[in-house]
Amino acid sequence: MLDLVVVGAGPVGIAAGIEAKRKGLAVRLLERGTVAHTVYRFPLDMVFFSEARKIEVGGHPFVSLGPKPTRKEALTYYRRVVEAEGLEVWTYTEVTRLEGREGAFRVHYRDREGEGSLEARYVLVATGYFDAPNRLGVPGEELPHVTYRYTEAAPYWGRRVVVVGGSNSAVETALDLYRGGARVTLVHRGPSVRPGVKYWLRPDFENRVKEGAIQALYNARVTEITPRAVVVERMGERLEVPADFVVIQIGYRAVDDLIRNAGARYEGDKPLLSEAFETSVPGLFVAGSAGFGANTRTVFIENGREHAAQAVAEIARRLEAAGVEG
């Protein structure tokens, strides 16, 4: 039996695995995609908001070529950390169900060979949020030219693209599309892009709007998407914005089905958590955004790794008190 199964091998899951292994726990990480799958899903040319040192894990120095690390640098960094620490990570292994409680969990999974299960004394869920984008809830959002995931501008050259949203992702996407040769319109329900947009993006975006290179429709609510347009309501007026493609960037919510289905109690859209990030199911812990519902803007790698450290410290303390050896 394992001492701990960590669900997710993104930066926070890796941080938890390192803490557990260094405390002598028998730990295994299960990841539905590749190592640092969350980072892998970022836009190809994305630059992090945080400095490299703030997203380090396990005390391993993260050296980047610029003032902020890139997606590619981060992928290399986290992979090398996993290798250096000798963490046991099962990639392309999706956890489908959690059963049991403290001391006697069964972790059910599915991989490319079929279904299986593991026994573990404790489980820590660090599943992030990039696989659960918020939805508009309007007709047409499932059309083939509509996407919630943006990777690069190349496919959109010369086309009319509507970007929906007003936060970092939407603004960064709009700028990248513009520089990639697309004709961009940003639609946002607020009076302007959000105040928290990265300080180097906001003036760039606002200047592109002023010069007419990017169109911006504020106080505009999307009501429908058709094969050729995005229909918006703006100050009582119905507008049809021509669109060959639509990129929706309105945030994400926690991937927390495993926690819910395991029977954890919730308050609103967040699980009830102890100071050590334990759910109401004894022995089931959460780290990072998986425990914060729709409030993903307040949880980052830099504080998620602290959640992991607190949770693993509590697990190690209980194992030691019970006289369990890893």
Side-chain angles (χ1 to χ4, degrees):
M1 176 182 284
L2 293 164
D3 293 320
L4 174 63
V5 165
V6 177
V7 184
V12 174
I14 293 169
I18 292 171
E19 292 285 338
K21 186 173 182 184
R22 290 180 179 177
K23 291 181 182 299
L25 277 60
V27 57
R28 184 175 300 159
L29 284 67
L30 274 56
E31 168 58 61
R32 67 183 298 182
T34 187
V35 167
H37 182 69
T38 294
V39 178
Y40 169 74
R41 288 178 60 84
F42 287 167
L44 299 185
D45 297 322
M46 198 205 82
V47 176
F48 279 78
F49 180 80
S50 300
E51 297 176 0
R53 63 182 178 83
K54 293 186 177 180
I55 59 173
E56 293 174 348
V57 292
H60 293 271
F62 185 172
V63 179
S64 69
L65 295 178
K68 311 280 187 181
T70 65
R71 166 189 176 274
K72 184 175 181 180
E73 289 175 328
L75 284 173
T76 301
Y77 170 76
Y78 290 118
R79 174 177 58 81
R80 294 298 300 272
V81 167
V82 167
E83 293 170 350
E85 291 286 343
L87 294 180
E88 185 177 1
V89 181
W90 287 8
T91 57
Y92 300 99
T93 303
E94 181 179 7
V95 176
T96 56
R97 191 167 79 258
L98 301 173
E99 292 181 338
R101 55 195 296 118
E102 187 170 15
F105 280 100
R106 183 166 292 276
V107 180
H108 297 268
Y109 65 83
R110 182 188 303 113
D111 62 15
R112 292 181 176 180
E113 296 181 0
E115 297 185 351
S117 65
L118 295 170
E119 293 182 342
R121 295 182 175 91
Y122 292 90
V123 175
L124 186 149
V125 177
T127 44
Y129 58 81
F130 265 90
D131 285 328
N134 291 326
R135 301 280 173 171
L136 285 172
V138 301
E141 66 180 320
E142 303 301 332
L143 289 170
H145 70 298
V146 180
T147 183
Y148 283 83
R149 184 189 177 203
Y150 177 76
T151 54
E152 61 178 334
Y156 304 101
W157 178 86
R159 309 307 297 187
R160 298 169 301 183
V161 184
V162 170
V163 177
V164 182
S167 295
N168 279 308
S169 296
V171 170
E172 197 161 15
T173 296
L175 286 168
D176 195 52
L177 284 165
Y178 152 68
R179 295 199 163 95
R183 290 174 283 167
V184 183
T185 300
L186 182 134
V187 174
H188 180 45
R189 64 185 180 181
S192 67
V193 295
R194 291 183 182 274
V197 169
K198 298 172 184 176
Y199 64 85
W200 65 89
L201 291 178
R202 189 182 184 98
D204 186 6
F205 177 79
E206 290 176 343
N207 285 332
R208 302 295 76 73
V209 172
K210 286 178 182 177
E211 69 186 17
I214 294 175
Q215 303 300 313
L217 287 178
Y218 297 124
N219 297 309
R221 182 175 64 88
V222 176
T223 59
E224 183 183 359
I225 300 173
T226 72
R228 295 186 178 181
V230 173
V231 182
V232 303
E233 183 181 286
R234 184 174 184 235
M235 293 181 286
E237 183 181 5
R238 181 182 185 274
L239 302 175
E240 290 193 12
V241 184
D244 300 309
F245 295 96
V246 182
V247 183
I248 301 172
Q249 302 277 272
I250 55 173
Y252 300 83
R253 59 182 306 107
V255 178
D256 61 359
D257 289 352
L258 289 172
I259 303 166
R260 290 179 181 273
N261 294 337
R265 291 201 301 273
Y266 271 67
E267 186 173 56
D269 68 343
K270 301 177 185 178
L272 293 171
L273 300 176
S274 72
E275 291 184 358
F277 298 94
E278 184 178 19
T279 70
S280 61
V281 178
L284 176 59
F285 290 75
V286 178
S289 59
F292 287 80
N295 192 24
T296 56
R297 289 191 179 94
T298 64
V299 189
F300 311 99
I301 296 172
E302 51 196 277
N303 57 7
R305 61 188 181 179
E306 300 304 321
H307 304 169
Q310 289 176 250
V312 172
E314 176 62 16
I315 292 168
R317 185 192 66 77
R318 293 187 193 178
L319 288 170
E320 183 179 6
V324 177
E325 296 184 1

